[in-house]
Amino acid sequence: MRILYGVDIGGTDTKLGIVQEDGTILSDGSVPTDHGAGPEKLAARAADWFSRHAAGRASAAGVGCAGLVDAKGGMLFVSPNMPGWNDVPLAGIFSASLALPVRIENDVNAAAFGEFQRGAGRGVRNFICLTLGTGVGGGIVIDGKLYRGSNGFAGEIGHTVLIADGPRCACGSRGCLEALIGASAIIERARRIRLQAGETALDDIAEPSVKEIAHAARGGDAAALRVMEETGRYLGIGLSNLVHLFDPAAIAVGGGISNAGELILAPARAALSEHAMNERHARTRIVTAELGNKASFLGAALLAARDE
Ligand SMILES: [Zn+2]
């Protein structure tokens, strides 16, 4: 069976994995990204790691990276995690270091494909994966294939607009899904709800993180529950848009914020039901992603084995 290498370039660490073409992960680890030293240095560190951990010869490698990626041309145009990596021929750089054909992909697209093959999207043909964290990303699989759009930029679900005059988004627009359910939006919501609430567990923490808010909600704190409920409702409205557009069999929600699980997913499903054009639309399964931080390198590796 063919062996593939997968790379997921993160802001701090770059995850690496050696996988079989059936998606079995043989070995995985990480190296520091150190983006200031440039992509060539990172590619050399990755090549060194693979040479020390791989038993056999790989046939291709896939590299996932946040930002605007042209998978066909092998170019990374711009990345929020790697300031200064503008118009970088990332596929060529990794190909030179690894001495392999290399395919690059947006990291969330890669994660969606990984979940589709081996995680929460197993066994379906039409699938969407959302990642909730500081940013809100998305990847779309249509009829078994990753949908990239005409420029490779498809799947920016976090920047679909839910409220025309809503809160300002990092992208410059207003009322985007990301501006309503991204980490800073949840923290801002907690600040507002805390001011309105009477006594709340959130009072004990100066600047509660999403994790702390979820923890308080799990403990039954009414204010924290309201924060999660409101966040989940906006997520559900976003999901209803996706369901109406794509009619997927399943939508998986991953990323750090998805650790809140049913605290967010239950109100999201309720909002989806409420906004669905027909009750049949609300039957799309809304689930948590399964592969965590392995989804992206796995998906990148599996995409590298395909010519699509
Ligand atoms: Zn936006």
Side-chain angles (χ1 to χ4, degrees):
M1 198 174 291
R2 283 207 287 171
I3 301 291
L4 304 159
Y5 293 163
V7 178
D8 171 22
I9 305 177
T12 310
D13 292 310
T14 290
K15 290 183 262 310
L16 304 168
I18 300 165
V19 309
Q20 288 182 173
E21 64 181 330
D22 69 353
T24 306
I25 297 171
L26 300 174
S27 174
D28 67 293
S30 68
V31 294
T33 299
D34 187 14
H35 72 265
E40 289 85 359
K41 285 269 164 46
L42 174 60
R45 268 195 299 283
D48 177 58
W49 187 93
F50 284 120
S51 70
R52 282 185 288 114
H53 291 83
R57 178 100 188 109
S59 59
V63 177
C65 182
L68 288 185
V69 168
D70 172 14
K72 272 214 176 81
M75 293 289 293
L76 168 66
F77 295 122
V78 59
S79 174
N81 295 343
M82 272 77 69
W85 290 26
N86 300 327
D87 301 320
V88 172
L90 200 61
I93 290 169
F94 271 81
S95 183
S97 273
L98 298 171
L100 288 174
V102 169
R103 214 180 157 87
I104 63 169
E105 191 58 68
N106 170 275
D107 61 342
V108 184
N109 278 353
F113 196 74
E115 289 286 344
F116 167 66
Q117 290 278 304
R118 295 285 291 192
R122 274 188 325 274
V124 306
R125 296 286 294 164
N126 297 294
F127 173 69
I128 296 176
C129 185
L130 279 179
T131 57
L132 312 187
T134 308
V136 175
I140 301 163
V141 174
I142 297 177
D143 210 15
K145 278 185 159 184
L146 181 66
Y147 180 73
R148 295 188 175 89
S150 50
N151 296 298
F153 305 160
E156 291 291 354
I157 293 160
H159 300 288
T160 55
V161 175
L162 270 62
I163 304 176
D165 53 356
R168 183 69 76 183
C169 182
C171 75
S173 181
R174 280 187 177 280
C176 297
L177 184 60
E178 179 172 306
L180 294 163
I181 67 169
S184 46
I186 297 176
I187 288 164
E188 181 53 38
R189 181 166 298 126
R191 201 173 289 144
R192 173 172 54 78
I193 288 177
R194 178 156 79 164
L195 288 177
Q196 299 162 352
E199 221 169 279
T200 153
L202 300 177
D203 288 337
D204 300 337
I205 315 162
E207 288 283 322
S209 65
V210 175
K211 202 173 164 189
E212 287 163 333
I213 298 162
H215 181 75
R218 247 179 237 111
D221 182 73
L225 279 166
R226 259 185 67 201
V227 175
M228 288 308 184
E229 154 97 21
E230 205 174 288
T231 304
R233 291 194 61 76
Y234 283 122
L235 170 61
I237 295 169
L239 294 178
S240 78
N241 291 335
L242 294 176
V243 163
H244 290 135
L245 279 170
F246 296 103
D247 181 25
I251 302 178
V253 181
I257 292 170
S258 72
N259 292 331
E262 290 302 306
L263 289 171
I264 283 185
L265 293 191
R269 286 192 201 98
L272 168 58
S273 266
E274 200 179 300
H275 290 273
M277 191 181 110
N278 181 286
E279 62 166 65
R280 285 167 205 279
H281 280 108
R283 289 182 197 162
T284 296
R285 280 189 296 122
I286 309 300
V287 296
T288 42
E290 294 176 5
L291 302 177
N293 63 13
K294 295 181 180 181
S296 202
F297 76 69
L298 176 65
L302 296 177
L303 282 165
R306 297 184 159 215
D307 188 26
E308 57 187 47

